[in-house]
């Protein structure tokens, strides 16, 4: 092991990572506690039966006390068995019902998510077409989206690596047009702030579109509600050799339509 | 209870692995629970090397999680940048955020996820190459090459960081003398 390896190992060992509340975690992993309760019930049952058997041995099999205890033991076993059986059946049914309900909810959620993704994908695909149709100075177009199919995303990512470098959330060396969509609670906050600091805005297809710029890049940002879901959309490009504001407006207009 | 024993024995290993893989405390907590729920659904008492088996589940779940998450990472970066553009964070706030993360956290962040997995298994859990290969279902040669790549990246960063510190010290000394 060389110095570097020892250093990495030491960093792991010396990292004062605060551990979570594992008790709480265990409770949520084992929400029914069914196994534990069943173990306790079974343990108690074994103890009672063992005690009664010892008492029979002590008093004798055919003595008056022995016969009484044998009768008690028999009825106890029958009752306990019924109770335990019912209890386990009830618990099993409850657990199964819980799982079925949860699965139904998950399926429903997945269905909704899938529908949303398909809708979003349709929008993104139409947007790609719009962007491709534009008179472009570049021979490549990047489209960043969280809902593109896996293959398309990876392809974009490789491409991005050549021209873009994401560092602490800031875009550097940006030379091409990109379009982005994100849906976050920050949508309203962002636009609110833009209004507060009086950012320049245009009206495109009846939407208020904000114009953001710094030394290297400029962006058009707008909020749009689709099917009652508010999302923020952005189109951006480099100032120096990217698209003009009017060209970006065309993208926005086509996308909103 | 066997479940509770298994949880008590390996909870820390699973959590640490998840945390270093995902680089997110809350997500690591959630994923730790998922690992044990998945483990309990299987006949875990028949597994010979339970630790390795749990680590395999952990790493696989982390990889799946990150794969899903990767799709929205770029968007998150843009949101953060855009929000920062209109609402710059205070310097103290930025320093506080940086201090909360440890050096190993920062270093692991530099590594691609598959390499990160190997480095964690090797230097946190001190597994041998053959054991890592079994856990990740990859050839020993791949373990070695991922380790080498990982160490190469870390070495570059550490050297650069040391250089930056030296430059900073010289600047401070220069300032004091001046």
């Amino acid at each position: 092991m060389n110095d570097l390896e020892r250093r990495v190992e030491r960093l792991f060992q010396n990292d004062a990572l605060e551990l979570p509340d594992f008790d709480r975690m265990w409770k949520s992993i084992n929400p029914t506690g069914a196994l534990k309760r069943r173990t306790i019930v079974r343990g108690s049952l074994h103890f009672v039966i063992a005690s009664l058997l010892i008492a029979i041995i002590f008093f004798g099999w055919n003595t008056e006390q022995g016969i009484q205890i044998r009768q008690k033991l028999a009825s106890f076993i029958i009752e306990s068995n019924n109770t335990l059986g019912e209890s386990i059946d009830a618990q099993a049914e409850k657990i199964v019902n819980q799982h079925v309900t949860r699965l139904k909810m998950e399926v429903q959620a997945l269905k909704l998510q899938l529908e949303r993704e398909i809708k979003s994908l349709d929008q993104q695909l139409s947007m790609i077409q719009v962007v491709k149709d534009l008179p472009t100075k570049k021979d490549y177009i990047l489209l960043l989206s969280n809902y593109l199919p896996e293959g398309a995303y990876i392809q974009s990512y490789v491409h991005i690596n050549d021209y873009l470098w994401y560092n602490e959330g800031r875009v550097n060396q940006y030379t091409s047009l990109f379009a982005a969509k994100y849906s976050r609670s920050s949508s309203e906050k962002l636009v609110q702030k833009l209004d507060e600091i009086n950012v320049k805005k245009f009206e495109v297809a009846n939407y208020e579109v904000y114009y953001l710029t710094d030394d290297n890049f400029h962006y058009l940002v707008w909020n749009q509600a689709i099917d009652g879901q508010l999302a923020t959309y952005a189109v951006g490009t480099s100032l120096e050799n990217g698209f003009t504001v009017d060209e970006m407006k065309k993208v926005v207009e086509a996308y909103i339509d | 209870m066997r479940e509770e024993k298994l949880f008590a024995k390996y909870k820390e290993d699973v959590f640490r692995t998840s945390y270093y893989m995902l680089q997110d405390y809350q997500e690591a907590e959630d994923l730790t629970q998922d690992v044990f729920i998945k483990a309990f659904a299987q006949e875990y008492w028949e597994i010979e090397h339970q630790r390795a088996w749990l680590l395999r589940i952990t790493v696989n779940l982390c990889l799946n999680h990150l794969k899903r998450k990767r799709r929205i990472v770029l968007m998150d970066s843009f949101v953060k940048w855009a929000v920062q553009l209109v609402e710059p964070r205070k310097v103290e706030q930025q320093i506080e955020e940086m201090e909360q993360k440890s050096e190993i956290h920062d270093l692991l962040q530099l590594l691609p996820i598959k390499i990160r997995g190997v480095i964690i298994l090797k230097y946190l859990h001190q597994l041998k190459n053959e054991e890592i290969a079994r856990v990740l279902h990859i050839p020993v040669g791949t373990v070695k090459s991922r380790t080498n790549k990982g160490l190469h990246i870390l070495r570059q960063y550490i050297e650069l960081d040391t250089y930056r510190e030296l430059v900073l010290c010289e600047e401070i000394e220069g300032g004091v003398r001046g």
Side-chain angles (χ1 to χ4, degrees):
Chain A
M1 195 179 272
N2 60 35
D3 283 350
L4 179 63
E5 289 181 292
R6 271 192 289 276
R7 178 168 177 174
V8 174
E9 204 174 88
R10 224 172 26 246
L11 284 172
F12 273 121
Q13 285 164 2
N14 297 339
D15 186 15
L17 175 61
E18 195 184 323
L19 294 170
D21 182 352
F22 284 119
D23 286 341
R24 183 181 50 79
M25 196 186 278
W26 170 248
K27 277 175 195 158
S28 61
I29 291 173
N30 182 34
T32 60
L35 284 168
K36 196 175 178 182
R37 279 203 295 279
R38 206 180 306 169
T39 312
I40 292 169
V41 172
R42 281 199 176 141
S44 314
L45 190 67
H46 292 161
F47 176 75
V48 172
I49 293 170
S51 308
L52 289 171
L53 284 172
I54 290 167
I56 291 169
I57 293 163
F58 182 76
F59 287 113
W61 186 256
N62 280 326
T63 60
E64 197 181 329
Q65 290 94 334
I67 292 166
Q68 277 178 8
I69 293 166
R70 272 159 54 197
Q71 283 166 349
K72 276 184 187 170
L73 179 62
S75 61
F76 178 76
I77 288 173
I78 292 164
E79 272 177 34
S80 308
N81 217 16
N82 289 342
T83 316
L84 187 63
E86 280 166 17
S87 160
I88 290 172
D89 285 349
Q91 278 183 359
E93 197 181 333
K94 195 178 158 192
I95 292 167
V96 169
N97 284 341
Q98 279 173 351
H99 280 289
V100 169
T101 314
R102 206 189 67 209
L103 281 171
K104 274 184 187 168
M105 283 165 69
E106 280 178 8
V107 168
Q108 190 61 22
L110 278 172
K111 201 178 150 196
L112 287 172
Q113 192 188 346
L114 205 61
E115 280 171 5
R116 269 203 302 271
E117 289 196 5
I118 289 169
K119 201 173 281 178
S120 175
L121 194 59
D122 282 345
Q123 287 168 1
Q124 300 299 338
L125 288 173
S126 59
M127 193 163 175
I128 292 173
Q129 198 52 47
V130 168
V131 173
K132 272 184 179 169
D133 290 345
L134 277 175
T136 168
K137 297 166 194 167
K138 300 288 160 197
D139 55 356
Y140 59 88
I141 293 294
L142 298 177
L143 183 80
L144 309 183
S145 165
N146 47 346
Y147 289 118
L148 276 181
E150 192 73 11
Y153 176 79
I154 290 167
Q155 203 180 5
S156 297
Y157 184 74
V158 174
H159 208 125
I160 290 161
N161 249 358
D162 296 337
Y163 299 97
L164 285 177
W165 181 45
Y166 272 80
N167 183 20
E168 294 175 0
R170 192 174 174 94
V171 185
N172 291 323
Q173 298 167 7
Y174 199 77
T175 52
S176 169
L177 180 83
F178 84 99
K181 168 184 176 280
Y182 53 92
S183 176
R184 290 282 182 283
S185 56
S186 54
S187 287
E188 284 174 324
K189 193 180 168 189
L190 180 65
V191 166
Q192 200 182 335
K193 279 283 164 194
L194 293 171
D195 272 329
E196 275 176 28
I197 58 170
N198 211 12
V199 167
K200 191 176 174 184
K201 58 184 171 184
F202 314 105
E203 195 176 288
V204 180
N206 294 327
Y207 279 84
E208 285 189 330
V209 178
Y210 294 82
Y211 180 68
L212 292 176
T213 185
D214 60 13
D215 292 343
N216 303 310
F217 321 108
H218 60 172
Y219 302 88
L220 292 181
V221 177
W222 76 100
N223 272 1
Q224 189 176 349
I226 294 176
D227 295 339
Q229 275 197 316
L230 185 71
T232 300
Y233 296 77
V235 171
T237 183
S238 87
L239 276 169
E240 197 185 337
N241 51 4
F243 288 91
T244 63
V245 178
D246 286 335
E247 283 171 329
M248 287 202 293
K249 273 186 188 174
K250 280 185 198 170
V251 179
V252 175
E253 201 171 6
Y255 188 66
I256 288 174
D257 282 344
Chain B
M1 273 173 78
R2 288 186 292 195
E3 284 97 342
E4 200 163 3
K5 274 184 190 164
L6 190 81
F7 179 76
K9 198 169 175 185
Y10 298 114
K11 61 190 179 187
E12 216 171 293
D13 280 344
V14 171
F15 175 75
R16 278 182 189 277
T17 310
S18 309
Y19 174 71
Y20 290 125
M21 284 289 282
L22 301 176
Q23 307 271 299
D24 184 289
Y25 200 89
Q26 187 57 50
E27 286 176 11
E29 270 193 60
D30 292 344
L31 197 124
T32 305
Q33 294 186 30
D34 291 345
V35 169
F36 282 101
I37 288 169
K38 195 167 181 180
F40 295 155
Q42 297 174 45
E43 293 177 345
Y44 60 87
W45 55 90
E46 289 184 354
I47 306 287
E48 197 181 350
H49 302 290
Q50 287 181 329
R51 183 167 176 252
W53 175 69
L54 280 171
L55 288 175
R56 180 192 303 157
I57 298 177
T58 310
V59 173
N60 285 340
L61 285 184
C62 284
L63 291 174
N64 290 341
H65 179 81
L66 288 168
K67 202 173 166 189
R68 279 198 303 273
K69 198 183 164 191
R70 199 175 52 178
R71 295 180 195 168
I72 57 170
V73 166
L74 291 175
M75 290 308 102
D76 277 349
S77 302
F78 179 74
V79 174
K80 280 178 194 161
W81 173 80
V83 170
Q84 207 179 328
L85 190 74
V86 293
E87 191 180 30
R89 283 179 302 163
K90 288 177 184 167
V91 178
E92 301 87 52
Q93 198 184 337
Q94 289 188 34
I95 291 170
E96 196 183 328
E97 279 173 21
M98 281 162 67
E99 280 176 349
Q100 281 170 355
K101 289 171 183 168
S102 64
E103 191 179 352
I104 190 69
H105 180 282
D106 290 345
L107 287 175
L108 289 170
Q109 213 162 23
L110 301 167
L111 301 177
I113 186 64
K114 286 183 178 173
I115 294 178
R116 195 187 300 166
V118 172
I119 296 290
I120 291 169
L121 292 175
K122 193 170 177 75
Y123 299 110
L124 171 67
H125 297 299
Q126 281 148 10
L127 298 189
K128 290 174 186 156
N129 289 343
E130 292 75 17
E131 290 172 314
I132 298 172
R134 274 202 300 275
V135 168
L136 299 179
H137 279 293
I138 52 174
V140 177
T142 310
V143 175
K144 286 179 186 170
S145 70
R146 284 187 190 173
T147 309
N148 288 337
K149 277 180 197 161
L151 289 173
H152 180 69
I153 295 170
L154 295 180
R155 182 178 288 114
Q156 280 183 326
Y157 180 82
I158 288 168
E159 280 169 3
L160 186 68
D161 206 36
T162 313
Y163 172 74
R164 276 187 196 140
E165 277 175 19
L166 281 172
V167 171
L168 194 67
C169 284
E170 278 174 15
E171 278 175 4
I172 292 168
E173 277 175 18
V176 169
R177 278 190 211 114

